[in-house]
Amino acid sequence: MDIGFHGAAGGVTGSCHLVRVGGRSLLLDCGMFQGRHEEEARNRDPFPFDAAALDAVVLSHAHIDHSGRLPILARRGFRGPIFATPATIDLARVLLRDAAHLQEADAERENRRRLRAGKGQVKPLFTAQDAEDTLRLFRPLDFDAPADILPGVRATLLPAGHILGAASVVLDLEEDGRRRRVAFSGDIGQDDSCMLPAPRPPDRADLVLLESTYGDRNHRAREDTRREIAEVLDSAWEAGGNLLVPAFAIGRTQELLTLFAQHYEEWRLDRWLLFVDSPMAIQATAAHLRHHELFNDQARPLFDGRGLRELLPNLRETAGTDESMRINQVRRGALIIAGSGMCTGGRILHHLRHNLWRRECRVMIVGYQGEGTLGRRLVDGADRVSIHGEDIRVAAGIHTIGGLSAHAGQDELAAWYGAIEGRPPVALVHGEARGRDGLAARLAAEFGVDAARPGAGTRITL
Ligand SMILES: [Zn+2]
Ligand SMILES: [Zn+2]
């Protein structure tokens, strides 16, 4: 029995851990490497295991850095079951189809360039067909419903509070009469999400794989965040223009809509024209409403028997391009949620082009903005930016809301681990050096454990 680390080991993306027990093998996640060019190039590397010989996959949640290489796995001959919660399967359908579309479009663009340069053609990383082949392999596994997924492997999914359907994975393994329990945290959310219940740790484990994205710091208090949003809404209304909110299509958009529904009157949202201008966000919102039984005790009653139309009567979901373009005619009072979350593409770019140069407009940044993205340049106070090759003056006010992270901070990560009986050995995954080292120091100080920090290719024997 052992576990090998093949992604999100020394970095955040590409989550992929291989569990071997009694001659069987299963993967925990099979995510895409994202970020800098060298990182993304790793997606084309061969798997360090035989994809066709794998027996199963358990997927913690739908995010592409956990699910994005599943279509490559299928293309390389994997035909086994992929276990995930029904909500994760719903969201993975949206995400993997979109990712396949992007991969095909990227390859097409690259090939036109290569043709002109007299170079050979490239293939997309995976195709829409690969994504469909993958989606057929999904098998639903509910929270808190232990299932014997392979001989000698029982899997139990616990709510992780990170995005809809996100799970921590508990594997009870048995080989030659020896039993070991591995608990994989997946990505853990904050305790006080406005939409999802708090993450729930397993009661015991022999080895814990713990994420460490924000292992070195804590987030701002949720109450302060709500107040900040209310202030931005007020000042944006006073300024007399539009308010743009770049947001990730899955998770952040729905969290905002939930906050808007909860504070509709208090925040005077009735005076705005609300738009969700992203086909992917619209599909993801529908998936959230289908699974609203997974919401927390505050959010669930809100949506019980009521749709968005009733909760936010002035909300328009603009899927078509024509409807989306018509938003450009609105000069004041439009609150537009659109992707991409870091302003690296998508419809938010059109809205920024139409509104950034206007002094009376505002941009509310509600998510992490990676190095080198347009979103980061706005946060850093650039006074000119380039959008679709056009030079745009930044006259609109830019406001950053810091506390809406989908990830637990250091205190919450330490508490999650601390709730597991007997302080078992722990390996830190899914974190840059800073997060990992910060969390390792905290766990050493608080619990006296020496956390392993596996790199790609590291193997731990159980
Ligand atoms: Zn995630
Ligand atoms: Zn992740």
Side-chain angles (χ1 to χ4, degrees):
M1 270 191 269
D2 63 14
I3 178 156
F5 299 85
H6 301 295
V12 170
T13 65
S15 181
C16 183
H17 314 300
L18 178 68
V19 178
R20 300 192 303 179
V21 53
R24 312 271 171 169
S25 57
L26 87 143
L27 272 190
L28 290 167
D29 292 347
C30 192
M32 205 185 270
F33 293 102
Q34 295 176 302
R36 285 193 308 272
H37 197 73
E38 317 85 79
E39 276 295 297
E40 304 210 340
R42 294 173 69 188
N43 291 318
R44 293 191 179 267
D45 291 348
F47 290 111
F49 44 81
D50 179 4
L54 277 176
D55 295 290
V57 176
V58 182
L59 176 63
S60 66
H61 66 288
H63 274 152
I64 284 295
D65 63 313
H66 297 256
S67 67
R69 280 189 298 162
L70 288 170
I72 310 176
L73 208 62
R75 175 186 263 191
R76 305 223 171 125
F78 173 69
R79 292 290 175 272
I82 303 169
F83 296 97
T85 62
T88 291
I89 297 174
D90 253 14
L91 291 178
R93 192 173 294 122
V94 177
L95 273 164
L96 290 179
R97 283 178 178 158
D98 179 73
H101 174 75
L102 288 178
Q103 293 298 338
E104 288 184 343
D106 278 358
E108 231 175 83
R109 194 172 329 111
E110 171 73 10
N111 282 335
R112 279 200 297 274
R113 215 174 55 82
R114 287 175 156 258
L115 202 61
R116 292 193 293 271
K119 291 183 183 164
Q121 301 282 286
V122 293
K123 281 203 176 101
L125 189 59
F126 56 86
T127 62
Q129 188 57 52
D130 296 326
E132 295 307 318
D133 291 344
T134 306
L135 293 170
R136 272 195 289 278
L137 302 176
F138 275 101
R139 300 288 177 272
L141 193 56
D142 282 316
F143 286 119
D144 295 303
D148 297 315
I149 60 169
L150 289 174
V153 182
R154 172 169 293 189
T156 311
L157 302 180
L158 302 175
H162 166 62
I163 60 167
L164 188 81
S168 299
V169 183
V170 178
L171 294 177
D172 286 297
L173 308 173
E174 189 176 347
E175 181 181 296
D176 300 331
R178 279 182 309 130
R179 292 160 189 263
R180 293 285 184 277
R181 173 180 272 196
V182 175
F184 169 46
S185 69
D187 288 2
I188 305 178
Q190 298 194 67
D191 286 339
D192 54 357
S193 153
C194 69
M195 191 171 70
L196 297 173
R200 178 144 49 81
D203 50 0
R204 53 162 209 89
D206 299 303
L207 174 68
V208 176
L209 313 186
L210 178 58
E211 72 122 314
S212 52
T213 320
Y214 288 102
D216 59 328
R217 63 202 120 134
N218 285 312
H219 302 298
R220 212 168 310 178
R222 193 51 68 144
E223 240 353 275
D224 297 342
T225 302
R226 289 179 195 244
R227 200 172 45 242
E228 281 170 13
I229 295 174
E231 281 165 14
V232 173
L233 287 172
D234 269 343
S235 78
W237 182 263
E238 293 305 322
N242 294 327
L243 173 59
L244 312 187
V245 188
F248 301 113
I250 290 183
R252 191 54 39 86
T253 295
Q254 293 75 32
E255 206 178 344
L256 282 171
L257 293 178
T258 304
L259 277 170
F260 285 178
Q262 285 169 339
H263 299 276
Y264 189 74
E265 271 148 42
E266 184 193 340
W267 292 353
R268 308 234 6 231
L269 282 155
D270 57 328
R271 56 190 178 180
W272 294 91
L273 289 167
L274 305 176
F275 294 97
V276 172
D277 188 30
S278 152
M280 182 148 80
I282 294 168
Q283 290 176 50
T285 302
H288 277 71
L289 295 175
R290 278 199 295 281
H291 296 282
H292 79 277
E293 80 281 356
L294 298 176
F295 288 4
N296 63 24
D297 292 343
Q298 288 78 50
R300 199 183 323 106
L302 201 64
F303 289 93
D304 257 336
R306 284 195 291 179
L308 273 184
R309 212 168 288 261
E310 214 170 315
L311 292 165
L312 303 170
N314 48 340
L315 173 72
R316 268 171 242 168
E317 296 184 298
T318 46
T321 347
D322 289 352
E323 298 170 277
S324 169
M325 279 175 19
R326 271 201 295 277
I327 303 174
N328 295 332
Q329 291 158 14
V330 185
R331 307 303 289 168
R332 70 157 294 154
L335 192 168
I336 307 160
I337 303 174
S340 74
M342 299 193 203
C343 311
T344 50
R347 291 181 179 175
I348 193 69
L349 291 183
H350 299 283
H351 299 301
L352 288 168
R353 194 162 68 90
H354 281 92
N355 293 282
L356 262 188
W357 56 274
R358 299 173 58 214
R359 192 171 290 284
E360 63 274 28
C361 291
R362 296 288 179 266
V363 179
M364 180 162 76
I365 302 283
V366 292
Y368 174 76
Q369 305 297 314
E371 212 80 55
T373 61
L374 174 58
R376 174 66 75 90
R377 282 199 290 284
L378 292 175
V379 169
D380 288 346
D383 49 19
R384 314 195 75 86
V385 293
S386 164
I387 297 176
H388 292 149
E390 197 177 328
D391 185 34
I392 311 272
R393 183 169 63 102
V394 183
I398 314 291
H399 301 278
T400 307
I401 305 293
L404 282 179
S405 180
H407 283 276
Q410 189 194 63
D411 286 350
E412 292 159 312
L413 289 169
W416 190 91
Y417 171 77
I420 305 170
E421 199 180 288
R423 297 167 190 183
V426 53
L428 300 182
V429 295
H430 202 286
E432 303 287 352
R434 238 172 52 156
R436 243 174 22 152
D437 295 348
L439 186 58
R442 169 73 182 263
L443 296 181
E446 194 173 341
F447 305 108
V449 290
D450 183 16
R453 278 162 265 184
T458 300
R459 189 174 291 171
I460 295 181
T461 306
L462 293 160

